[in-house]
Amino acid sequence: MLKICLIGNPNSGKTTLFNNLTKSNARVGNWPGVTVEKREGTIRRKNKDNVQVVDLPGIYSLSPYTDEEVISRNYLISNQSDVVVNIVDATNLERNLYLTSQILEMDVNIVICLNFMDVVDKQGDYIDVEKLSKKFGVPIIPISALKSRNINKLLEECEKVKDNKRKGTSILNQNSNFNKLLKDVSECCVSQDVPSPCFHAIKFLENDELERKEHPFLERDCRSEIEEFKTTSNIENVEQFIAKSRFKIIENMTIDCIDKSYRPAYSFSDKIDKVFTNKYFGIPIFILIMMLVFQITFAEDFFYIGKIFNIDSVPSLGTYLQGLVEKLFELITGGIESGMTNINAPLWSISLINEGIFGAIGAVLSFLPQVLLLFLFIQILENSGYMSRVAFVFDRLLRSFGLSGKSLVPLISCFGCAVPGIMGTRTIESRKEKIITISLTPFFSCSAKLPIYLAFGSVVAGGVLGGAMVAFLIYFGGIFVAILAAFILNNTKYRGASSSFIMELPSYHIPQFKATSLSVLDELKKFMIRAGTLIACSSLVLWFLMNFNWSYSYIGGLDNGMEQSIIGDIGRLIQPIFVPLGFAKGPEGWKFVVAALTGLVAKEQVVASLELLSSSNYDLLLQSLNSAQIFSFLSFNLLTLPCVAAISAAKAELKTKKDFLFVLFVWSLTSYVCSMFIYSFGSLFEISNNYKYGVLEIICLIVSVVIITTLITLSIVYKNKKTNDDDCNNDDNNSSSGTNKKARCMIGCKHCR
Ligand code: GDP
Ligand code: MG
């Protein structure tokens, strides 16, 4: 049986090719000891041997930096396949050939396949495959994994080379001084019976940690050769020399094999993109667009027109619709109440129907128009192709914080709902980056949290800011926290997580009316169903808990009845835990704690619970908090554990219990510390007469500042340590594993080239 393995950069199309080859005959498991996915499959062919295929994890180099790299390297070294199929993204030839140049150094049979040829053709580029193949000395097959082009030819080529005993060669041998050094070190390997001598010799010269550990004799026997090379070539840092030479040689080898002169002139999309994805304008344009969307959806006074011109405020479309829905609910509840009073229905039943059901659901549904409107705008932005640009624009910024645009795509969908967002992290290959991305999902506020911000919009800061501004602040505050958290995680626990981000930007187009309206209708349906089932049920449970005491007698009608109720006792029991966050202070504090905790069921429940717990004094209850307490409450709800649906999605995506518990920890810690900080810091500016900044606030401020600064300082220290190790920007560094970092940077930042 012919055994082949697929190796290449992430996103080069390995999995697409793998699925295409094996159809349904594939097994997915894990590589031993690590949570990196392993795919194995068989190609069954008529009248021919079966072919066994292994899809290796996507990597950029063979230096053992990540789990993925160690796995792929060991797999190749142990020579388990007859043929190594190296998949190269033909649209990014030079970058992909960096890995190829390292595989070529091994004693393995290689077939290179140039994938994405359909895209190359579409762009009007021409690649001289034959010439390239001659230069690299191995067969190269142009394919399109997606369009199933030339796949059989690839298999035929594998069949041809499978019995070759190819010896590794390096493209670096073009430099005569280095070639001599390489020969000496390789011979040293040969004398000790090390297989793939060329590969190991170069890894040793690259200062590869694993190599030095595995073959300590090299250090002992080849020292004088290295010193000699350094003096004759006047080179201080051999490792850096290798990294640079690799890129330079690859560039020289490919330059006359690609012809891009046939590219068509700029298309309409390209022209728009010049502005929308511009280095400087991209992010401000995005912020402006979002500002406009928020104003249309949430503003009580559209762009502050009323205030500016001193006239009646002009409600935005969203606010106007919300008013209509609210009136409708008032009519319904009013009618029911008078109807039930007329027929002398018992007091508890009026309370049950009016407060327990209609009050709670109404509090949620009144925000439906705004939720749908925001959803519609996000859909339009997504379907028009703009959201892909946002991922692209932020990629550059986020990369320095350890996130890539690849994680941004699922994160953006979290603005709708965290569940599909978390499921979308499946496309992220690196385990570390996946954990970081899932940790950030709640910080991208889902639409169910909107009603919470809007409910407080007219209360906070005396209503000066308004709902649109509060929602806007919270949304961008969440993004800010996400960036900070990514930075901390990426530099401490999950170092080196950031992976590549290659994305074909789709052309702009006008969103299809049918598709967009269908998805809005779908959202409407989901929202109504949730309100009618989940929210209604948990509101009923809450209504029961707040109207009955432990001996199950109805105390709802009594003064202070709620204080003596079951939920009153429970609430006061857990209240002290949340006192440092401010919103739990005071006699009514426990109600906010209970409301926030009921948000675990579904985030809309927070507003429904507040409405219930306020016993018809909704506005009064909300106004019992000052602005610092409100922002603390809002940020707690934003940052803390998402609803159970999202939590279980995260559990399903994270393969181990340890990772899952860690993510829960991140959510709890972030929300607690941020809210504590917001409360204690914000209270410094509280000017109302009856407010006093006390010992509690001082302690909270100190504790939260200490925690936040410690985490940030630790991250900066680690980050600097890392960049000292291998900073690709700096040509004069004393790097120890610079090759690797350079490979990474080729993908990340073009300016590093
Ligand atoms: P992997 O990370 O190497 O496993 O890459 P995937 O197989 O997941 O492919 C990454 C993306 O590239 C997917 O969206 C594929 O649909 C797309 N893709 C893969 N091969 C081709 C191809 O030949 N042509 C085009 N146009 N897209 C491709
Ligand atoms: Mg894959």
Side-chain angles (χ1 to χ4, degrees), residues 504-523:
E504 205 186 323
L505 294 179
S507 308
Y508 286 102
H509 48 252
I510 295 171
Q512 276 186 313
F513 177 75
K514 196 172 161 202
T516 313
S517 50
L518 274 182
S519 51
V520 172
L521 275 182
D522 199 46
E523 179 72 9

Side-chain angles (χ1 to χ4, degrees), residues 240-366:
Q240 207 179 66
F241 165 79
I242 297 180
K244 273 196 203 163
S245 311
R246 254 193 224 285
F247 287 117
K248 221 178 273 160
I249 294 172
I250 290 174
E251 206 174 321
N252 288 340
M253 286 169 85
T254 47
I255 202 158
D256 57 344
C257 298
I258 313 175
D259 188 351
K260 294 187 178 177
S261 58
Y262 297 105
R263 286 203 174 184
Y266 284 124
S267 67
F268 176 65
S269 279
D270 290 337
K271 278 182 199 151
I272 301 184
D273 271 346
K274 279 213 150 160
V275 184
F276 278 12
T277 63
N278 180 282
K279 205 164 158 183
Y280 304 105
F281 302 137
I283 292 178
I285 287 177
F286 171 67
I287 292 178
L288 278 181
I289 290 180
M290 289 318 281
M291 190 97 102
L292 181 67
V293 167
F294 276 64
Q295 281 293 331
I296 298 178
T297 317
F298 306 123
E300 289 104 26
D301 185 8
F302 190 60
F303 275 111
Y304 304 101
I305 290 176
K307 278 206 189 76
I308 295 170
F309 297 106
N310 222 350
I311 49 171
D312 282 349
S313 53
V314 183
S316 65
L317 182 61
T319 315
Y320 177 74
L321 293 174
Q322 188 222 359
L324 289 186
V325 175
E326 233 168 26
K327 279 210 187 92
L328 186 72
F329 261 89
E330 269 164 27
L331 271 179
I332 295 176
T333 45
I336 292 175
E337 188 165 355
S338 57
M340 286 181 84
T341 325
N342 281 348
I343 57 163
N344 284 332
L347 211 57
W348 67 264
S349 67
I350 299 180
S351 155
L352 172 69
I353 300 212
N354 252 354
E355 288 167 30
I357 301 178
F358 281 101
I361 297 181
V364 178
L365 283 192
S366 65

Side-chain angles (χ1 to χ4, degrees), residues 270-536:
D270 290 337
K271 278 182 199 151
I272 301 184
D273 271 346
K274 279 213 150 160
V275 184
F276 278 12
T277 63
N278 180 282
K279 205 164 158 183
Y280 304 105
F281 302 137
I283 292 178
I285 287 177
F286 171 67
I287 292 178
L288 278 181
I289 290 180
M290 289 318 281
M291 190 97 102
L292 181 67
V293 167
F294 276 64
Q295 281 293 331
I296 298 178
T297 317
F298 306 123
E300 289 104 26
D301 185 8
F302 190 60
F303 275 111
Y304 304 101
I305 290 176
K307 278 206 189 76
I308 295 170
F309 297 106
N310 222 350
I311 49 171
D312 282 349
S313 53
V314 183
S316 65
L317 182 61
T319 315
Y320 177 74
L321 293 174
Q322 188 222 359
L324 289 186
V325 175
E326 233 168 26
K327 279 210 187 92
L328 186 72
F329 261 89
E330 269 164 27
L331 271 179
I332 295 176
T333 45
I336 292 175
E337 188 165 355
S338 57
M340 286 181 84
T341 325
N342 281 348
I343 57 163
N344 284 332
L347 211 57
W348 67 264
S349 67
I350 299 180
S351 155
L352 172 69
I353 300 212
N354 252 354
E355 288 167 30
I357 301 178
F358 281 101
I361 297 181
V364 178
L365 283 192
S366 65
F367 294 111
L368 184 61
Q370 288 167 311
V371 169
L372 287 184
L373 212 53
L374 181 65
F375 186 81
L376 171 73
F377 282 125
I378 291 184
Q379 280 293 312
I380 292 177
L381 291 178
E382 212 166 290
N383 293 346
S384 65
Y386 178 65
M387 279 305 188
S388 324
R389 270 78 186 177
V390 174
F392 177 80
V393 164
F394 274 91
D395 187 53
R396 204 176 304 135
L397 173 77
L398 292 186
R399 189 168 293 282
S400 44
F401 295 98
L403 267 184
S404 73
K406 198 168 183 179
S407 27
L408 203 69
V409 178
L411 286 176
I412 284 180
S413 58
C414 286
F415 281 134
C417 171
V419 176
I422 290 172
M423 279 154 74
T425 60
R426 225 169 264 179
T427 56
I428 301 175
E429 298 203 358
S430 147
R431 168 180 160 261
K432 290 176 180 177
E433 191 175 1
K434 189 168 171 175
I435 296 174
I436 296 182
T437 310
I438 293 181
S439 301
L440 306 183
T441 48
F443 311 160
F444 290 75
S445 182
C446 75
S447 58
K449 293 177 187 168
L450 253 177
I452 317 176
Y453 318 142
L454 296 176
F456 283 95
S458 51
V459 182
V460 71
V464 181
L465 292 174
M469 200 58 194
V470 172
F472 186 79
L473 282 177
I474 295 284
Y475 270 73
F476 275 84
I479 297 177
F480 176 74
V481 171
I483 291 178
L484 201 62
F487 177 71
I488 292 172
L489 288 171
N490 187 59
N491 285 304
T492 53
K493 189 165 163 67
Y494 294 115
R495 275 201 262 168
S498 172
S499 74
S500 75
F501 175 57
I502 303 162
M503 167 167 204
E504 205 186 323
L505 294 179
S507 308
Y508 286 102
H509 48 252
I510 295 171
Q512 276 186 313
F513 177 75
K514 196 172 161 202
T516 313
S517 50
L518 274 182
S519 51
V520 172
L521 275 182
D522 199 46
E523 179 72 9
L524 171 70
K525 210 171 90 192
K526 269 198 295 199
F527 201 89
M528 297 292 274
I529 290 177
R530 255 209 320 270
T533 54
L534 207 58
I535 312 277

Side-chain angles (χ1 to χ4, degrees), residues 20 29 196 221 272 392 481 661 669-670 700 713:
N20 195 320
S196 289
D221 299 347
I272 301 184
F392 177 80
V481 171
L661 289 178
L669 185 78
T670 315
C700 287
T713 317

